[in-house]
Amino acid sequence: MTSLMNQLQLLLHLSLRNLWAHKVKSLIVGSLMIFGTLLVVSGTAMLDSVENAISRSVIHSLSGHLQIYSADARDELAIYGGTAMSGQDYGFISRFSDVKSVVEKVPNVKAVVPMGINLANMTRGSDLDRAFSRLRDAHRRGDTAERDQLIPRVERMLKLLETELTNGVEVSGGVRKTELADQLVDVRRTLAPGFWSEYAEDPLKTLEFLDTKVAPAGGDGRLMYLRYVGTDLSAFAKHFDRFKLVEGEMVPPGKRGILINQKFADLRLKLLTARLFDDLEEGRVDGLTIETNAALKSKARRLKTQAGSISLMLSPKDVATLTPMLAQLTGRKSGTFDELLEAFLTIDDTNVERHYAFFYKEFPHRIDLYPFKVGDVVTIRAWTRTGYAKATNVKVWGTFAFKGLERSDLSGAANLVDMMTFRTLYGQMSAGQRAELETIRKDAKVRTVGRQEAEDAFFGGSADTGDAEEDSAEGFSEFDGVSLKQARRSTAVEPSFTQAEVDDGLVLSAAVILKDDAKLEQTQLAIADALDRAKLRMQVVDWQKASGILGQSALLVRGILFIAIFIIFGVALVIINNSMLMATLERVKEIGTLRAIGAQRRFILGMLLFETVTLCLISGGLGTACAVGLMKWLSHVGIPAINDVMVFIFSGSRLYPDVSTEHAVLGFVIIFVVSLCATLFPARLATQIQPIEAMQSRD
């Protein structure tokens, strides 16, 4: 034991002496070891911190820890969207309660939330539709002041529509020309001198004419495409803890409704003028200038063209109020309101801040920044599973956001609707709808025939209905085509529903929230096993796979980092190997002398390896200390998210990375192994040096 200790002390002494004697070589190799250790420790710590941040963003906003969906799905589930824009087939779960009852019994499962993802478009009708609606509301309330303000505004819209229809008649032909000509006649009637006198005498009759004859000429209005998730809204708000209401209220239990994602509304639904102002102001805050930034310059030019549409939205009273204010702001002492408004919307680096502040101070209560208000009823249309368009009216109960992700565009990936509305748009008929359809069939004496007999039945032949194809057990409707205007004009009130109806119906997937996410893999296997034993053909995927490309971005980043580390350490291996080899060749006389005085090959090998170990301990320790210090400092000050995507990846405006003992040990072990591997060949070469070589002259 004493001999071994003496030998180790001798090796340590020789190692330190030799490292100092070959300072340049030691400095080069030591620097590589410090850099390598710093890279591994800080890189893996940063990567784990980013992955944890992404998981917080994804898990606690939409996906949950796990997702369950049909094993027969043709496409992989992608909560945040996949490579295809639409038409993805995730299959369906016929009865959510069957899955829920099995999964809730698995240990570590906190909650199971039903889900369904789909694409739709939303509309509130054209500007004329909305103006006529406000006119009707004013009449209903007996508000003559608002009515008198609305009439000049409606007249301006009708004059523009007349011009549009006149141009359409000139360039159209056939049936389309006749249709436009008929609409033009109706519009010109509203512009006749005595039309509004008729309105004063019989408002309801006049409003009916405007709704049924004139409004269709204005078109369906702006169609807004949205992605939505159907879910149990109460359970969603309870178990997805990043969810928060921004405005309005939660959809009451048992009621239908939609919650609009505030980020989606700001990004896609907001008035174009307001969005352009937002982008220009955001660029100013970020230190960009309109003069030097091509994108901002283009948006400033586009903003100037919005004067006409803004003017059309303002009432005569608002025009009178804003005219002197705009004259003062723009420094113009004369000019029409439209000219002043165009000057106001002419933005450059000198006035963007003032004009932005003025716009949000004076315009939001005079024009609609969004195509809806909380409490409005909007029309949503989607394609059902059977390939038909289905439209339904739904109330906007409020807007929501995800805490910490308000700035992120990715957080606006989906809006939320109740599960019953989702099923309606997906094409599943309720029990009441199936009963109603059966009543209609009986009253109309409809016979259902199979495909084989359809031709005979159509041409008067007899047909056996024994093989007739009925609606599937899931109740998907083949008669669900509804036009947008039919849906918008419908006044039917959707009935309330019970929690049992939500649980017993169709869903596309189920989100699983865990009590302890450290046991995710074990719980995933346990759930899959429980579903198999219950003979339910389901697949269970974790949040990374369920969230599509977004959730798997962490795996991509990890792969890139490991490839970079592999390349760097490959280079380091070569450099260390060459440095040690050159040092060995320079020390031939020294090693030969040691051999001559009795040093064995094993001692020479141990001496060189011990030098590497000593250098590795010193350099690895310094690299690890630097990496830990860097991570601790970053965890205190945070790394700012420089754009909207980074906000989502960082799960907030800043990332506060953390470093653990595992990261330090991993970095130290990797550099230790690489250094030893790089030293083995030179050390083995040194053991082959013969004592006689020490006696030979260098000359």
Side-chain angles (χ1 to χ4, degrees), residues 333-354:
K333 296 182 179 179
S334 62
T336 65
F337 176 76
D338 287 345
E339 290 172 341
L340 292 173
L341 187 58
E342 184 174 337
F344 166 68
L345 296 177
T346 302
I347 302 298
D348 56 35
D349 293 312
T350 64
N351 62 22
V352 58
E353 185 176 6
R354 288 185 293 112

Side-chain angles (χ1 to χ4, degrees), residues 6 21 33 40 67 85 109 131 184 197 208 278 329 380 387 463 493 620:
N6 291 336
M33 291 179 176
V40 174
Q67 282 277 335
M85 291 297 293
V109 171
L184 183 59
S197 298
E208 185 67 21
D278 292 343
L329 182 68
I380 299 178
V493 178

Side-chain angles (χ1 to χ4, degrees), residues 146-442:
E146 183 176 358
R147 180 200 63 190
D148 293 341
Q149 290 179 7
L150 283 169
I151 288 176
R153 185 171 168 184
V154 169
E155 286 181 320
R156 293 171 67 190
M157 293 181 182
L158 291 171
K159 288 177 182 178
L160 290 174
L161 181 58
E162 179 192 25
T163 302
E164 184 179 328
L165 290 173
T166 300
N167 294 335
V169 169
E170 291 177 357
V171 299
S172 301
V175 177
R176 179 57 178 167
K177 183 172 184 176
T178 302
E179 180 183 347
L180 293 176
D182 291 341
Q183 291 177 342
L184 183 59
V185 171
D186 293 329
V187 171
R188 284 176 173 167
R189 177 187 164 188
T190 65
L191 297 173
F195 179 78
W196 294 107
S197 298
E198 296 178 21
Y199 171 77
E201 294 175 3
D202 193 348
L204 292 179
K205 181 179 178 181
T206 307
L207 287 170
E208 185 67 21
F209 172 76
L210 292 174
D211 277 341
T212 58
K213 296 293 185 180
V214 180
D220 285 329
R222 176 187 169 199
L223 289 179
M224 299 155 287
Y225 292 91
L226 72 157
R227 202 164 187 265
Y228 62 92
V229 173
T231 186
D232 182 339
L233 294 172
S234 297
F236 187 94
K238 178 180 179 182
H239 297 294
F240 286 84
D241 53 17
R242 300 204 82 147
F243 172 88
K244 70 172 183 179
L245 275 175
V246 175
E247 184 183 0
E249 60 180 304
M250 281 297 300
V251 180
K255 296 292 184 182
R256 296 194 179 215
I258 184 171
L259 296 174
I260 300 291
N261 191 308
Q262 186 64 53
K263 188 61 181 180
F264 171 79
D266 290 338
L267 198 64
R268 298 282 182 260
L269 306 183
K270 199 173 187 180
L271 185 71
L272 177 59
T273 304
R275 280 187 281 143
L276 292 172
F277 260 122
D278 292 343
D279 291 342
L280 292 172
E281 174 63 9
E282 184 178 348
R284 184 194 69 81
V285 172
D286 291 341
L288 304 177
T289 62
I290 297 173
E291 183 63 30
T292 59
N293 187 279
L296 293 181
K297 185 179 290 187
S298 174
K299 289 176 180 179
R301 286 197 300 266
R302 191 176 184 188
L303 180 59
K304 185 178 179 179
T305 67
Q306 300 302 304
S309 61
I310 295 296
S311 177
L312 195 61
M313 298 178 190
L314 296 166
S315 68
K317 181 180 178 181
D318 291 330
V319 170
T321 303
L322 289 171
T323 297
M325 299 171 70
L326 290 176
Q328 181 180 3
L329 182 68
T330 59
R332 295 197 174 194
K333 296 182 179 179
S334 62
T336 65
F337 176 76
D338 287 345
E339 290 172 341
L340 292 173
L341 187 58
E342 184 174 337
F344 166 68
L345 296 177
T346 302
I347 302 298
D348 56 35
D349 293 312
T350 64
N351 62 22
V352 58
E353 185 176 6
R354 288 185 293 112
H355 287 207
Y356 172 83
F358 181 86
F359 177 81
Y360 275 101
K361 180 182 178 183
E362 300 296 340
F363 282 84
H365 57 281
R366 292 185 168 95
I367 61 177
D368 293 332
L369 295 187
Y370 298 94
F372 66 89
K373 293 185 178 69
V374 172
D376 285 352
V377 174
V378 297
T379 302
I380 299 178
R381 181 175 67 174
W383 293 98
T384 69
R385 184 175 182 271
T386 53
Y388 289 80
K390 178 70 176 181
T392 187
N393 292 327
V394 61
K395 179 179 177 180
V396 178
W397 287 88
T399 61
F400 73 96
F402 294 113
K403 299 173 189 174
L405 305 177
E406 293 86 352
R407 283 181 48 209
S408 171
D409 294 349
L410 292 172
S411 70
N415 305 277
L416 300 175
V417 300
D418 67 277
M419 204 68 236
M420 303 304 285
T421 298
F422 172 83
R423 289 169 187 162
T424 298
L425 293 172
Y426 191 68
Q428 186 189 35
M429 292 188 295
S430 65
Q433 289 173 323
R434 287 196 293 272
E436 182 181 1
L437 179 60
E438 188 59 33
T439 301
I440 293 173
R441 282 174 170 171
K442 289 181 179 179

Side-chain angles (χ1 to χ4, degrees), residues 44 446 511 534 540:
T44 53
V446 172
V540 186

